[in-house]
Amino acid sequence: MTLFDGIVSRHIETPRLSVSVWEREGDDVATPAERTVVFLHGLVGSSRLWQEMLQDLPSDLRAVAIDLRGYGGTENAPVDATRGVRDFSDDLAATLDALGIPAPHLVGWSLGAAVALQYALEHPVLSLTLESPISPYGWGGTRRDGSRLSDEDAGAGAGAVNPAFVARLTERDTTADAESSPRSVFRATFVAPGYASDHEDEWVAAVLETSTAVGNYPGDVVHTDTWPGYAPGSTGVVNALAPRNFDVSGIVALEPKPPVLWIRGEVDAIVSDASLAEPGSLGKLGIIPDWPGDDVAPPQPMVSQMRDVLTAYAAGGGDVTELALPGVGHSPHLERPAEFRSALLTRIGYVGAPADPAPPTEAIILRSAD
């Protein structure tokens, strides 16, 4: 295992499972919750992808990144998809309890944002930073208002994942010799065109720390006669995001409402209103044949759905900042780390460090009770 300077990794034993956490040497475990930031990674990867951000945060904060079940060094216990992401949020609660963190600032990326929102529905948090979050209504199979396209959730779940990509994950393939290789997928979907990093090998290593064991990524597939021919099974992380299993739109009624930062890239290929990872969009483009049309299987408007829910959250008294970064893909913390860091420190109300470069003001939309 390669660790960046000043980063350490250890295992925490909880009543639920053994969990891998990534921290910084010298961070004080007695740091109060208001100066503690907890990071959750995305759908494919591990906390290895947070190392630069952990390094760059002020030294008087406590920074912790947690590998979810089936990722990184955490036990690959199966995911009960019928519970949505509650297996993950319950694991998180047990881990934070073991770490002595009662109410953190939570930062969630993609899947991690879904887990952060589920956690916030059931436990106190000081703030939520949602990086490239999936829709609050899950992945695939919904209209803008969150209503489901079919009772079976056709088009949602593990069937959307390319089996060739899963096979290469299982083989721990580090090449870029095919579109389905993890390195090629990272370049094509995690980041915007033109992104380059000396740490790409490390980021690919993180992608390869995704367990493809039964019950983990992506999950089982149920075949159906309804277009596009598949529906979610009952196990696995991608099925946990199916709309019949996952809906965190209830944050609108949450009290008290923690302040929210929503940060995303404007050219995100994964989470958008025309996602290249969603069957409605692919059908409309002719990539998946026999698309039945907008009335039956419209592209899922993921960004618009999140904006609608967060606008209602703000109307109910919440404080929400949306930061949309031009020319950035699915990974703002890798692609624009200074702007991500600045926005995060502002959101958590950090005082005490030299001023960071300000995020581009034209990309900030502030909605709050004030």
Side-chain angles (χ1 to χ4, degrees), residues 8-358:
V8 295
S9 177
R10 63 187 175 112
H11 280 84
I12 300 292
E13 298 301 326
T14 78
R16 294 178 57 79
L17 76 174
S18 177
V19 177
S20 171
V21 299
W22 299 61
E23 301 167 297
R24 303 184 301 184
E25 291 178 332
D27 276 7
D28 186 353
V29 297
T31 301
E34 60 267 21
R35 296 176 83 83
T36 299
V37 186
V38 174
F39 295 84
L40 306 175
H41 60 78
L43 185 63
V44 179
S46 72
S47 294
R48 187 180 299 275
L49 286 152
W50 287 118
Q51 288 187 92
E52 281 188 318
M53 190 54 53
L54 296 184
Q55 285 180 317
D56 290 344
L57 288 181
S59 60
D60 57 342
L61 294 177
R62 183 184 183 190
V64 180
I66 298 173
D67 285 335
L68 302 174
R69 67 166 58 195
Y71 294 91
T74 292
E75 188 177 337
N76 62 342
V79 176
D80 180 354
T82 67
R83 302 188 70 230
V85 297
R86 289 179 180 86
D87 277 354
F88 295 119
S89 62
D90 289 350
D91 294 345
L92 175 60
T95 305
L96 293 179
D97 183 63
L99 291 169
I101 303 173
H105 296 285
L106 265 185
V107 181
W109 175 30
S110 188
L111 167 65
V115 176
L117 286 166
Q118 184 65 55
Y119 182 88
L121 285 170
E122 299 164 349
H123 307 276
V125 298
L126 299 180
S127 72
L128 289 167
T129 294
L130 309 175
E131 179 187 10
S132 308
I134 70 159
S135 164
Y137 301 113
W139 188 274
T142 59
R143 302 175 184 86
R144 180 162 177 171
D145 64 359
S147 58
R148 292 161 59 200
L149 299 181
S150 68
D151 290 341
E152 57 198 335
D153 285 347
V161 178
N162 183 350
F165 172 63
V166 178
R168 285 175 176 261
L169 276 180
T170 303
E171 295 164 2
R172 300 296 184 257
D173 177 15
T174 62
T175 70
D177 63 353
E179 290 183 0
S180 60
S181 74
R183 188 178 299 271
S184 297
V185 169
F186 174 84
R187 292 173 177 174
T189 63
F190 276 58
V191 293
Y195 170 83
S197 170
D198 292 339
H199 300 307
E200 183 181 87
D201 286 348
E202 194 71 14
W203 306 154
V204 173
V207 172
L208 295 175
E209 291 181 318
T210 302
S211 171
T212 57
V214 174
N216 294 138
Y217 181 87
D220 58 324
V221 180
V222 174
H223 295 282
T224 173
D225 292 334
T226 305
W227 188 90
Y230 61 83
S234 61
T235 64
V237 58
V238 182
N239 293 328
L241 300 173
R244 72 182 180 211
N245 300 323
F246 176 82
D247 183 342
V248 290
S249 61
I251 63 163
V252 168
L254 191 63
E255 293 296 343
K257 289 181 167 61
V260 174
L261 167 64
W262 173 24
I263 183 167
R264 62 185 182 85
E266 290 188 344
V267 295
D268 189 339
I270 298 176
V271 176
S272 78
D273 283 0
S275 169
L276 296 179
E278 193 273 330
S281 296
L282 296 175
K284 193 166 189 174
L285 291 170
I287 297 172
I288 299 179
D290 302 321
W291 180 59
D294 279 321
D295 290 342
V296 176
Q300 184 186 13
M302 303 175 187
V303 171
S304 295
Q305 288 175 327
M306 180 59 74
R307 185 176 292 113
D308 289 348
V309 167
L310 291 181
T311 297
Y313 184 89
D319 185 336
V320 180
T321 299
E322 176 185 348
L323 176 57
L325 297 173
V328 172
H330 189 61
S331 311
H333 76 279
L334 298 180
E335 299 171 73
R336 297 276 189 85
E339 288 157 301
F340 185 96
R341 177 182 186 272
S342 176
L344 170 60
L345 293 178
T346 298
R347 179 73 291 172
I348 70 174
Y350 178 77
V351 177
D356 285 303

